[in-house]
Amino acid sequence: MKRYMVVWGSVFFLVMFCSLYLMLETVTMSSKPLELDAQALDGIEIKIKRIEDDILRNHETIKEIKDTVGKIAKGDRSGIDRLKEVLQLDNHVEVKKPVQHVEQHQEGPAPGVVNMEVLSPDQKKDEEKYEVQSQAIQLVQQDTCTWSDRPAAADYKMHEVFELLPFDNPDGGVWKQGWDISYDVNQWSPSNQLQVFVVPHSHCDPGWIKTFDDYYRSQTKPILDNMVPKLEEDKNHKFMYAEMSFFSHWWDEIDDGIKKRVKALIDNGQLEIVTGGWVMTDEANAHYFAMIDQLLEGHQWLAGTLGVKPQSGWAIDPFGYSSTMAYILKRTGLKSMLIQRVHYSIKKHLAQKKAMEFMWRQQWDDEGGTDMFCHMMPFYSYDVPHTCGPDPKICCTFDFRRLPGSKYKCPWKLNPVSVNDGNVAERSLTLLDQYRKKAQLYNTNVLLIPLGDDFRYDQADEWDKQYSNYQKIFNYVNSHSELNTKMQFGTLSDYFNTLYKTMGVDAGAQPKGIPTLSGDFFTYADRDDHYWSGYFTSRPFYKHLDRLMEGHLRSAEVIFSMAQSYARKFTSSAFPSVEMMSHLVTARRALGLFQHHDGITGTAKDFVVVDYGNRIVESLANLKRLIVECATYLLAAEKNDYKDKTYYFNVDELRESHDSLPDKTMMELSENFRSVILYNSMANKRVEVVKVFINAVDVEVQDPTGKVIHSQIEPFWADTDSTAGMKYKLAFVCELPALGVARYQIRRVAPASNPRHHRVEIKLINAQPTQAIVPSFLVKRVTDSADFSLENVYFKARFSGTTGLLKTMTTKPDLVEHKTETEFVLYGTKNAKEKSGAYLFLPDGVAKPVNIVGPLVRIITGPILSEVHVFTPYAEHVVRVMNSPGSDGTALDVYNIVDVRHLLNKEVAMRISTDIKNQDRVFYTDLNGFQMQRRKTYDKLPLQANFYPMPAMMFMEDSNCRFSILSQQSLGVSSLIQVNVGECVQRDTVNVGECVQRDTVNASSTVTLGYPTLVAHLVSLHLTQPIFVMPQKPSSPSLTLNPVFTPISQELPCDLHLLNLRTMQNKDDSPELKYVPRDTAALLLHRLAFDCSYPVIGLSCVATSTKVTFENLFKDLKVENLVETSLTLMHDYEEMDPKAAIQVDAMEISAFRLKLK
């Protein structure tokens, strides 16, 4: 049996599993007859159980009264006091009326006075002990884990390329990062011509130096306005466009006549839509859910308006490339793709091997089913000087926008001239020479020449200058057969289709001589030591906001799809489906827009980031309200009793602006029960700690069955020195069904009257006397420097008594102690013209430890959760231990609030030193939360080159143990010092990832595939998909609710993730139908591959079933018209029988279109 230990980190200001408690109230039976559907039957079962509990409790109380009266009759005077206690306890437990099926919400009296006294030891000793039984350890059947044994074979494996290359940068001549290219003119012939496709394009950033709207008005709209008449002038003119966020905006403004002309240009092949995503997504920081969602949004828009199905991917500007994107494009049905920003040494190496075009294969795929044909551009940039050939000063003279009189010049002081009869021969042969040299880097005689740059063709005269001058060159070359060359304008798919035809293969198939490649292309460097690892952590506040938005959008999609289906079934006219759909569409597009490679990366201007932030925060607020209303509707016993905009429950938090921390909603309690709704968007049952903010110290919490459960109260700290008066944090463990909604109940009670309610104890180190005054709580000032510990059923964490920082973790039950020493370090910036910034990380050397002397340390201990707060010079560092039987109990939760506003040119990092003996310096980081990629620290690379993006997780291991970090948002991470150190770089304001530690096997330099454990997968998903908490409003209207909504008959296996359940939008360019939801939904399932050598702990689900059947998946809804589709529903593959068991292979994402009725 292997040891397993987890350190779990959440973002700096988000409380992990921050939930408000639900209160279960006594309900009244409706006078009208009810139809007993599955939900009502569930309610009956719950209520029967509640009656049984009440009867048992009453019997116990009566027995105790009889026993006590007997003692009094025998002269025992203490029996009188005990009788008073029994009667008082019975009074506070609640004498219940006959229990009904549902609950009636009613306005309660105003909250009473909150008790301010500290409980005495005698009072606390009467508390009932809170005990957690750890979940049974599950062992996974090895026959379900065959993926671990089959790493893919590939001609080029990027981790091997990294081992091979010296990463030097010798001067290559005119091609600075290459070499002097030569060629044999006789390699071409009339039967073997060089076929050149010049591809005009314009790269339009949806936000960077200008906001989205500013770019649209000033540059993008003119580009698209000019495009139509300029392409119509000559059928040989071609153009391609990528960003649907801009294109859809323009489409909404043009009239029907222009729309018909655009469709005609697409139909005759003059205009091509490439990729078709909402944006050209970043591939380092973005999560795979968001990458797919922005692509789905673009493809569905195209399907509903133009009827276009993109064939080729175009990604010229992301700062490095992930193999996850190649997989996504392949599964959407695209045939080919193109990339540009790859490390100059890697480009040179592949160019020398003529491997600039390759089949990009996923590392787990040993059959080639994921192979995606990929073209890599060879030179420094995608602008005209770096796309025609190796000599930029020559190529610049063929950028006719820079003709004399233009404000744009060539920096090499050799400017373009117009092509005319007198110079056409010289100009043509000069350009052909560059084309022939570029062709030496590829395996075929089909050559791609992009012709464009950022926001090109926004002026009408550029269209004329580029097309007319190039056409003269084409005419000359094509008329001289001895040149054995054919030149023409084309689109990206024109190029790829001609290549496939020339090589005699179907589109997307592997041509002869084209190699396979596996791995990714991080970290990118464009020159010298300029490694673009800075953007992995730039603007972390907004990186967190992105992941928060993603979790809300997915959760809203799922619950809306269910609620909308029920609303159709019950013909609920009050359900606001159109308004909700408009909020969903707006949110999809806000999240999609931020995936832009200058959005989530943090590389846009400040005011542009504000624009992104405002869009996200507005959508966040709308999604929160949507989730609340859908949850309320689904719990409603009578669906037609639900009233729109009545607002029975509050959202969990509010934000004043895009850059503000959330203000948690406080629940006002009284002696009457008040409810809180909890929503689980995952397709597995969850048992986790949740938090709710309340105005009382002494409370009682009841679960949906009416059982009083253990709860814990702690003060809410307004700042370092003081608490927030009448605001407290309540914690308890909830249990929620898969995709379910449950109602918990809370009420205020007398002090010490609830033996299952616990006040935390507080210890302060290095505190001032005034800091030790916390009303209603026991506070102790600690004067010694001895280490202290926090623990739960899974592990014990030891902290330094002088700094308060984590030192070790001991796993249970084997009691093996592991080093996990935490410290903060600072990086300076290089003393050079160019310094660390939004894109680059240019440190001035190794990091220097932050000297922490006598920090204030606040230790909060309770039976359900405990915390350590350390106030360092740059950060409030918090470590939390959850005493939960669920997955959150297996993890140590770490987060930081960092303020570096007073620092100049400094980077803050959290370093965790372990005793992992990774002698080969290998570690693994995730790609987009989808898969793991092998990394290795190299001395031959500068420090900044050894940092990699970590959107969700990393781990390193030796033969005995694995240490993992799971993050709620994207970070930069490295393992710099041999054997034992991992660093998470954090900027501006810090967030902390999860640190997971556990044992493993077969860890050696020969192992190239890595998978998280199943627990790590689930914890990572729970980080991004938290339980939603919805407290009852202080004066909520009356509505009869069921205690639990359980929508599915059988939860999915742990390793089968419901990626999305997305109601499809209607025709986007129809004002009448735009926000009327279709009756179809997209259902996406992702089967997780995991490391099977580890035991599974802390989970209530199983990972033994590899198939799913749709017929009986939902309790009250029927699945109809089930069709397996491509990932973005562009292509229908097979109509499925809902009764058939569907297999989803490991690592694969399967998509289905269906109706829920």
Side-chain angles (χ1 to χ4, degrees), residues 621-812:
N622 289 331
L623 292 176
K624 284 179 180 293
R625 177 48 57 189
L626 182 152
I627 291 170
V628 170
E629 293 310 302
C630 287
T632 305
Y633 175 78
L634 290 172
L635 276 182
E638 286 291 324
K639 299 295 185 276
N640 290 326
D641 289 345
Y642 168 85
K643 299 295 188 296
D644 181 26
K645 292 184 171 38
T646 304
Y647 301 152
Y648 307 92
F649 291 85
N650 274 322
V651 297
D652 59 339
E653 63 185 27
L654 298 171
R655 291 174 184 263
E656 290 186 359
S657 65
H658 68 94
D659 57 355
S660 64
L661 296 177
D663 182 18
K664 300 293 184 180
T665 303
M666 187 177 72
M667 189 174 183
E668 296 183 358
L669 300 179
S670 69
E671 290 83 357
N672 291 344
F673 278 113
R674 300 197 70 78
S675 295
V676 59
I677 294 177
L678 303 181
Y679 162 50
N680 168 28
S681 68
M682 301 293 292
N684 321 106
K685 183 177 75 173
R686 290 169 75 169
V687 180
E688 294 176 14
V689 174
V690 294
K691 286 187 177 182
V692 62
F693 295 79
I694 61 175
N695 67 335
V697 174
D698 297 290
V699 300
E700 178 183 282
V701 181
Q702 290 189 1
D703 69 9
T705 69
K707 178 183 177 182
V708 177
I709 62 174
H710 285 273
S711 56
Q712 171 183 309
I713 197 73
E714 65 177 280
F716 181 85
W717 297 86
D719 51 42
T720 306
D721 299 322
S722 61
T723 58
M726 307 292 283
K727 191 172 186 178
Y728 305 91
K729 289 191 287 186
L730 178 68
F732 59 89
V733 176
C734 71
E735 181 174 329
L736 300 177
L739 300 184
V741 184
R743 188 195 63 219
Y744 282 66
Q745 295 190 107
I746 313 171
R747 67 173 177 177
R748 183 170 54 81
V749 296
S753 63
N754 179 9
R756 292 189 171 185
H757 185 62
H758 313 273
R759 298 191 195 187
V760 299
E761 294 184 356
I762 302 167
K763 295 180 181 179
L764 300 177
I765 301 175
N766 302 319
Q768 300 299 319
T770 56
Q771 294 173 320
I773 302 174
V774 182
S776 303
F777 294 90
L778 179 64
V779 181
K780 297 180 181 179
R781 292 178 64 195
V782 180
T783 56
D784 62 44
S785 59
D787 289 354
F788 60 93
S789 299
L790 301 177
E791 62 183 303
N792 64 15
V793 294
Y794 295 114
F795 62 83
K796 178 180 180 180
R798 183 165 61 90
F799 300 83
S800 166
T802 56
T803 66
L805 298 177
L806 180 67
K807 294 179 68 174
T808 66
M809 292 184 69
T810 300
T811 51
K812 298 180 180 180

Side-chain angles (χ1 to χ4, degrees), residues 350-612:
L350 294 178
Q352 288 171 332
K353 304 290 185 180
K354 286 197 171 185
M356 298 291 283
E357 289 180 325
F358 50 85
M359 303 303 294
W360 201 345
R361 178 171 295 177
Q362 300 303 312
Q363 297 177 95
W364 71 84
D365 175 18
D366 60 348
E367 298 177 352
T370 61
D371 286 4
M372 183 68 167
F373 188 94
C374 182
H375 174 101
M376 182 186 294
M377 295 169 64
F379 306 124
Y380 174 79
S381 181
Y382 54 82
D383 59 2
V384 178
H386 296 95
T387 50
C388 90
D391 192 341
K393 71 177 182 298
I394 298 298
C395 290
C396 193
T397 65
F398 292 92
D399 184 357
F400 296 104
R401 180 177 182 172
R402 305 179 197 238
L403 285 169
S406 169
K407 63 180 180 179
Y408 301 100
K409 306 295 181 184
C410 288
W412 296 271
K413 298 181 180 179
L414 186 63
N415 293 316
V417 294
S418 297
V419 178
N420 54 49
D421 292 343
N423 66 8
V424 65
E426 181 274 330
R427 289 283 79 197
S428 298
L429 294 177
T430 299
L431 183 59
L432 179 58
D433 177 63
Q434 290 297 305
Y435 288 174
R436 286 171 169 173
K437 288 177 178 177
K438 183 176 182 180
Q440 303 311 299
L441 308 180
Y442 295 92
N443 263 320
T444 76
N445 283 328
V446 185
L447 186 64
L448 176 67
I449 307 294
L451 182 65
D453 200 348
D454 292 353
F455 294 98
R456 282 303 191 90
Y457 303 95
D458 61 339
Q459 300 296 322
D461 65 340
E462 181 179 2
W463 292 84
D464 299 332
K465 292 172 182 177
Q466 301 284 31
Y467 283 89
S468 62
N469 282 288
Y470 270 95
Q471 191 61 57
K472 291 174 184 177
I473 294 173
F474 296 168
N475 293 339
Y476 178 86
V477 172
N478 294 340
S479 64
H480 287 73
S481 59
E482 73 278 7
L483 298 179
N484 296 313
T485 302
K486 180 181 179 181
M487 296 183 183
Q488 59 194 311
F489 292 115
T491 65
L492 186 60
S493 290
D494 287 338
Y495 165 75
F496 283 128
N497 290 335
T498 302
L499 184 150
Y500 292 133
K501 183 178 180 181
T502 302
M503 301 299 288
V505 298
D506 293 334
Q510 182 177 4
K512 184 179 180 180
I514 298 299
T516 54
L517 179 146
S518 65
D520 70 332
F521 297 103
F522 293 111
T523 293
Y524 168 60
D526 59 345
R527 59 189 174 94
D528 302 324
D529 64 349
H530 286 200
Y531 283 81
W532 294 40
S533 51
Y535 80 95
F536 301 157
T537 53
S538 294
R539 303 189 190 274
F541 183 95
Y542 294 94
K543 283 179 166 61
H544 165 68
L545 201 60
D546 163 81
R547 205 57 59 85
L548 191 67
M549 175 69 167
E550 177 185 316
H552 279 70
L553 177 58
R554 179 194 163 276
S555 297
E557 297 276 19
V558 171
I559 200 168
F560 173 77
S561 293
M562 292 189 296
Q564 172 66 14
S565 299
Y566 276 88
R568 281 198 179 100
K569 179 175 181 177
F570 291 101
T571 60
S572 303
S573 59
F575 187 74
S577 58
V578 173
E579 180 184 0
M580 288 184 176
M581 192 70 193
S582 71
H583 290 325
L584 280 175
V585 172
T586 301
R588 293 168 181 173
R589 295 176 178 182
L591 179 66
L593 188 67
F594 196 60
Q595 303 316 301
H596 165 53
H597 55 266
D598 285 307
I600 190 175
T601 56
T603 54
K605 292 291 187 181
D606 288 349
F607 63 90
V608 179
V609 174
V610 170
D611 182 61
Y612 288 137

